Amino acid sequence: MGKDVGDKLGRWYMTSVRVRYQESDQMGVVYHANYLNWFEIGRTEMIRELGITYRSMEELGVLLPVTDLDMKFSQPARYDDEITIFTRMTVFSKLRIKYAYEVRRLSDQERGALPEKNNAEGTELPGELLVSGTTSHVWVNREWQPVRLDKSAPVLYNALNHSLIGGGDS
């Protein structure tokens, strides 16, 4: 993690989706590329929960392309499963963001207990692990030139910085 990282970076954010027929093959197993879409859903909803949208970032003239991706498959998701995407930031700086993901299948009992859980770093996540992974991103402008977020969109940098790491500089 970056320097001066606070506890909020370690918090897992979660969102759930139901596996659609179009995401699976004839055997009902999810096609591997769909996990990339679910990672994007996870990070988009995480940012939204922090009060920021990707649209608002783009309106400020900054984009956040993926520069690296890693995925590990443990168990397949299947058609009609309700899966939960756990997402957290592991690195946040003026230049980069790195996210970690876990896609899990939860029992009804585990799903019902979710609001009671504190999903802090180091906490065992509930459910059966299906896929884990990370994505790395770099801040760029509309011309795809790397930018320092604190200089190109200071309002956004300060909002993310305050929301995620309690105002510490990274």
Side-chain angles (χ1 to χ4, degrees):
M1 289 200 193
K3 68 178 186 169
D4 298 327
V5 173
D7 290 339
K8 290 187 180 182
L9 273 182
R11 179 178 180 259
W12 288 101
Y13 292 79
M14 60 191 160
T15 190
S16 294
V17 298
R18 184 165 302 277
V19 176
R20 298 172 298 175
Y21 186 78
Q22 70 190 40
E23 295 168 321
S24 62
D25 61 20
Q26 193 171 15
M27 297 176 293
V29 173
V30 168
Y31 179 66
H32 66 277
N34 287 295
Y35 293 97
L36 300 175
N37 292 328
W38 295 343
F39 286 5
E40 182 177 3
I41 289 168
R43 69 178 172 266
T44 299
E45 293 306 314
M46 178 187 143
I47 293 292
R48 187 182 315 280
E49 192 172 324
L50 294 171
I52 302 162
T53 65
Y54 269 83
R55 182 181 305 269
S56 68
M57 288 192 285
E58 292 170 356
E59 288 170 354
L60 290 170
V62 293
L63 307 171
L64 197 57
V66 175
T67 58
D68 190 49
L69 163 71
D70 181 53
M71 291 174 36
K72 180 178 180 188
F73 298 90
S74 299
Q75 294 290 326
R78 298 186 183 279
Y79 169 64
D80 208 36
D81 282 350
E82 187 171 354
I83 54 117
T84 301
I85 307 155
F86 291 88
T87 307
R88 69 177 174 186
M89 283 190 188
T90 58
V91 172
F92 171 70
S93 76
K94 298 166 186 165
L95 302 172
R96 305 178 195 290
I97 288 182
K98 185 172 184 176
Y99 295 91
Y101 311 89
E102 291 196 10
V103 177
R104 293 178 165 267
R105 182 174 29 239
L106 280 61
S107 69
D108 290 340
Q109 182 179 1
E110 289 166 327
R111 184 166 279 102
L114 278 177
E116 303 166 15
K117 290 270 187 191
N118 176 8
N119 294 317
E121 185 175 8
T123 301
E124 181 73 23
L125 294 174
E128 177 184 15
L129 177 63
L130 305 177
V131 171
S132 58
T134 61
T135 57
S136 298
H137 306 257
V138 64
W139 295 106
V140 298
N141 61 21
R142 288 188 178 120
E143 290 76 39
W144 285 76
Q145 299 299 311
V147 295
R148 282 181 47 150
L149 187 61
D150 62 325
K151 302 290 186 201
S152 61
V155 172
L156 175 60
Y157 175 79
N158 290 333
L160 282 170
N161 198 36
H162 180 72
S163 294
L164 293 171
I165 58 177
D169 191 20
S170 61

